[in-house]
């Protein structure tokens, strides 16, 4: 199972990105368009690697571009959900729906073995047990709609990307999948209304040169590394397996909260009850068992 170390490392970096979200609480990023612009802007640097890629076919370019567009739409609705819901609820809810969606697809297409199905189910339960107490607070139908739509779009993007990787090498698909982001970023700048949103000079506007901006860049860097490792893992294994391991991210977050809770109690301090501790232990055991199945059964 060569993909396992890459997936686990990916979710470690994703955990770092989530910690950044907890610091920012999305209060400084008031419009998803801002995030989409900066994702497009920084992704364009990868285009410098085009001369080192192999010749890409039209079908693979279409698949890679479509995957990126769908993923970007998923990110847009993720941030819309974060605007009206709690970070601690939105992220795990979307993270749970994605592997469930991918598992249904994998079973339908028969691209997953019976032991792998069992492992994915166990890992999903592990994720739920680890995060269930974070699903607190009032939730609205609008938030649920954004979360489900975001998760489904993310799942579809990974399925499309997997199809592209089956047809051409990882490096070529990765680089050419970012080409479509160039016109998106340019379009945002050219449209006056969107340009005003991104480059607003108001006191409450978001700036990369502010403290929140630096924290945002750190989070985006960690998220970028995570996404790179996840896409590489998708090139090695079915997306259902890759995304089912998202529970490992919350293991990292749980350990981090134990240390950060002392320094930043207002952000990371948790109330530990017997029930909450028991469910987290069950979640950890589920993830350990799921990893065991993936590592030793085919």
């Amino acid at each position: 199972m060569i993909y396992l170390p890459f997936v686990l490392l990916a979710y470690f970096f994703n955990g770092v990105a989530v910690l950044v979200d907890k610091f920012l609480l999305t209060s400084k990023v008031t419009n998803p368009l801002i995030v989409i612009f900066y994702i497009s802007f920084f992704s364009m640097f990868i285009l410098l690697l085009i001369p080192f890629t192999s010749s890409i076919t039209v079908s693979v370019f279409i698949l890679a571009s479509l995957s990126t567009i769908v993923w970007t739409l998923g990110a847009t609705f993720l941030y819309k959900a974060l605007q009206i819901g709690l970070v601690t609820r939105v992220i795990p809810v979307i993270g749970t729906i994605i592997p469930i969606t991918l598992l249904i697809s994998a079973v339908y297409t028969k691209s997953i073995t019976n032991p792998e199905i069992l492992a994915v189910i166990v890992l999903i339960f592990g994720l739920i047990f680890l995060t269930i107490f974070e699903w607190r607070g009032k939730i609205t139908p609008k938030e649920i709609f954004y979360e489900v739509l975001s998760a489904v779009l993310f799942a579809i993007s990974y399925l499309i990307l997997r199809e592209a990787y089956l047809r051409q090498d990882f490096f070529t698909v990765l680089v050419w999948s970012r080409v479509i982001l160039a016109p998106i970023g340019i379009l945002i700048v050219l449209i006056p209304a969107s340009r005003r949103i991104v480059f607003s000079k108001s006191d409450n506007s978001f700036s990369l040169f502010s403290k929140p901006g630096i924290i945002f860049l750190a989070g985006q860097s960690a998220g970028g590394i995570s996404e790179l490792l996840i896409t590489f893992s998708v090139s090695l294994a079915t997306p259902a397996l890759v995304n089912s391991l998202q529970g490992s991210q919350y293991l990292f977050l749980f350990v981090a909260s134990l240390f950060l809770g002392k320094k930043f109690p207002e952000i990371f301090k948790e109330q530990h009850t017997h029930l909450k501790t028991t469910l987290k232990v069950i979640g950890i055991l589920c993830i350990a068992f799921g990893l065991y199945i993936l590592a030793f059964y085919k």
Side-chain angles (χ1 to χ4, degrees), residues 11-271:
Y11 286 122
F12 167 77
F13 280 107
N14 207 43
V16 173
V18 171
L19 289 177
V20 170
D21 280 336
K22 282 194 174 187
F23 271 111
L24 292 177
L25 295 177
T26 68
S27 59
K28 296 296 181 179
V29 185
T30 57
N31 195 301
L33 187 66
I34 297 174
V35 178
I36 301 304
F37 171 76
Y38 284 114
I39 289 175
S40 301
F41 178 77
F42 288 110
S43 293
M44 284 191 285
F45 286 102
I46 202 172
L47 301 185
L48 297 174
L49 299 175
I50 287 180
F52 303 100
T53 63
S54 58
S55 179
I56 191 170
T57 64
V58 174
S59 62
V60 171
F61 176 70
I62 292 174
L63 285 171
S65 299
L66 184 59
S67 172
T68 299
I69 293 172
V70 175
W71 188 93
T72 304
L73 288 173
T76 301
F77 287 107
L78 163 64
Y79 279 92
K80 280 186 173 293
L82 287 172
Q83 284 184 307
I84 57 179
L86 297 172
V87 173
T88 53
R89 178 178 63 236
V90 172
I91 300 297
V93 167
I94 292 176
T96 302
I97 297 173
I98 292 174
I100 292 175
T101 304
L102 291 170
L103 176 60
I104 293 172
S105 172
V107 171
Y108 178 76
T109 58
K110 298 180 180 179
S111 59
I112 191 170
T113 65
N114 288 334
E116 288 173 339
I117 292 174
L118 175 60
V120 170
I121 292 173
V122 171
L123 288 166
I124 290 173
F125 272 107
L127 172 60
I128 293 173
F129 282 127
L130 279 171
T131 62
I132 191 65
F133 276 95
E134 306 297 333
W135 302 16
R136 64 183 185 273
K138 182 180 179 181
I139 187 168
T140 64
K142 189 175 183 180
E143 179 188 335
I144 295 174
F145 172 75
Y146 285 148
E147 288 167 348
V148 172
L149 184 56
S150 173
V152 171
L153 288 170
F154 278 135
I156 292 173
S157 74
Y158 289 128
L159 291 172
I160 298 172
L161 189 62
R162 172 65 175 170
E163 186 61 31
Y165 284 135
L166 290 174
R167 302 186 183 194
Q168 201 146 5
D169 65 276
F170 168 76
F171 184 70
T172 298
V173 173
L174 173 68
V175 173
W176 281 93
S177 67
R178 296 302 186 267
V179 171
I180 192 65
L181 289 174
I184 292 177
I186 294 172
L187 190 63
I188 291 174
V189 173
L190 291 179
I191 299 175
S194 60
R195 184 171 64 246
R196 283 195 296 270
I197 292 173
V198 173
F199 300 107
S200 172
K201 299 298 183 181
S202 65
D203 293 335
N204 295 322
S205 63
F206 176 79
S207 172
L208 286 180
F209 302 102
S210 63
K211 184 177 179 180
I214 295 173
I215 296 175
F216 172 78
L217 283 177
Q220 288 300 302
S221 298
I225 294 172
S226 171
E227 190 60 28
L228 176 62
L229 289 169
I230 288 174
T231 55
F232 179 62
S233 302
V234 167
S235 72
L236 300 174
T238 177
L241 294 175
V242 174
N243 282 272
S244 68
L245 287 160
Q246 191 164 167
S248 61
Q249 166 184 318
Y250 293 94
L251 282 179
F252 301 135
L253 288 174
F254 176 66
V255 173
S257 68
L258 295 178
F259 294 96
L260 294 175
K262 297 179 181 179
K263 189 171 183 180
F264 305 101
E266 69 282 359
I267 300 176
F268 297 104
K269 192 67 175 178
E270 294 188 28
Q271 295 295 326

